[in-house]
Amino acid sequence: LGLPEGVAVTAATCCIPASISSNDEALSELLIFGDSRGKIYVVSSKGLNLINGSGTQAFCGAVARLVVADSAVGGAVLVAAGDDASEPSAPQFAVKLWAVDALTGTDTPAFRVLTLALKPPPPPELHHLTALTALRDGTQIAVGLRSGTLVLYHGESLIREGGKASAPMILQVSDSVTGMPQAMPISALHFCDRVERQVKLFVSTSPVLHSSS
């Protein structure tokens, strides 16, 4: 990628875009990277050629997580989460969606932006985005935070350009062992595909964070 000194890759994923013929195995995969400056890079697996020039500026701060909804109606959708705050001291996380096939230039705008405006906001030391997942058809997106907050966006309008997204569902993952409402940092999220019209979301948590006096 030729990143400048001090800039690091902070997220990565891959997908098979709909515009590529399934018979062309050499071009059958795209590698997608995000960096600490908020840029997203799309690389062809054939020759590792950079498709979107010097990268698409997606966020003001670092790209935190990348996943692809590869069975979305109309083609694969890139779901990216990152810090969109102008001041690094006060992170403002957002989730942005792009049609993968449209990510060919440096200024391709996201067709949907989902903000994580939590009220009341968690303490600064807990306000970190730690997990992201999406159902393969793009109709469910889940975000996990270090504070134990789980934010769930749902509805077919999520992946329909111009459609109005419904308000997110916000849940708090607490310590189920002690029953105390302590923060259980969310470390990983995973959707299980629909089985008998049901969707299951698996949530993995880290040990409870204890504050020191």
Side-chain angles (χ1 to χ4, degrees):
L1 298 177
L3 299 179
E5 184 176 353
V7 177
V9 171
T10 54
T13 189
C14 62
C15 79
I16 301 175
S19 61
I20 293 178
S21 169
S22 59
N23 296 323
D24 192 348
E25 295 183 359
L27 282 173
S28 63
E29 193 171 50
L30 294 178
L31 310 176
I32 306 174
F33 301 93
D35 73 10
S36 54
R37 296 177 301 175
K39 283 194 171 186
I40 290 176
Y41 306 87
V42 183
V43 179
S44 168
S45 61
K46 182 180 181 180
L48 297 180
N49 297 315
L50 190 60
I51 292 176
N52 60 335
S54 58
T56 300
Q57 190 67 52
F59 300 96
C60 296
V63 179
R65 296 289 188 279
L66 295 171
V67 297
V68 173
D70 58 3
S71 296
V73 176
V77 171
L78 174 66
V79 183
D83 183 7
D84 224 15
S86 55
E87 296 293 333
S89 58
Q92 295 178 1
F93 294 106
V95 177
K96 299 184 180 183
L97 280 64
W98 286 266
V100 171
D101 288 344
L103 276 171
T104 56
T106 59
D107 57 352
T108 306
F111 72 78
R112 183 170 302 287
V113 178
L114 305 169
T115 57
L116 292 175
L118 303 179
K119 295 180 181 180
E125 68 271 15
L126 297 180
H127 192 43
H128 294 276
L129 193 149
T130 54
L132 173 72
T133 190
L135 201 61
R136 290 189 62 193
D137 63 5
T139 59
Q140 305 257 15
I141 297 172
V143 179
L145 302 178
R146 191 179 183 190
S147 61
T149 302
L150 175 65
V151 183
L152 179 64
Y153 299 92
H154 56 92
E156 293 184 1
S157 59
L158 278 175
I159 55 171
R160 188 182 306 122
E161 190 168 355
K164 185 177 180 180
S166 58
M169 180 186 300
I170 300 176
L171 304 171
Q172 190 66 35
V173 179
S174 60
D175 188 346
S176 60
V177 177
T178 65
M180 298 297 290
Q182 302 179 78
M184 294 288 289
I186 296 173
S187 56
L189 295 167
H190 177 72
F191 276 116
C192 186
D193 285 341
R194 287 185 171 89
V195 178
E196 297 181 355
R197 309 178 90 178
Q198 291 185 342
V199 175
K200 292 184 178 181
L201 173 62
F202 293 89
V203 181
S204 172
T205 58
S206 300
V208 178
L209 291 177
H210 296 282
S211 59
S212 58
S213 56

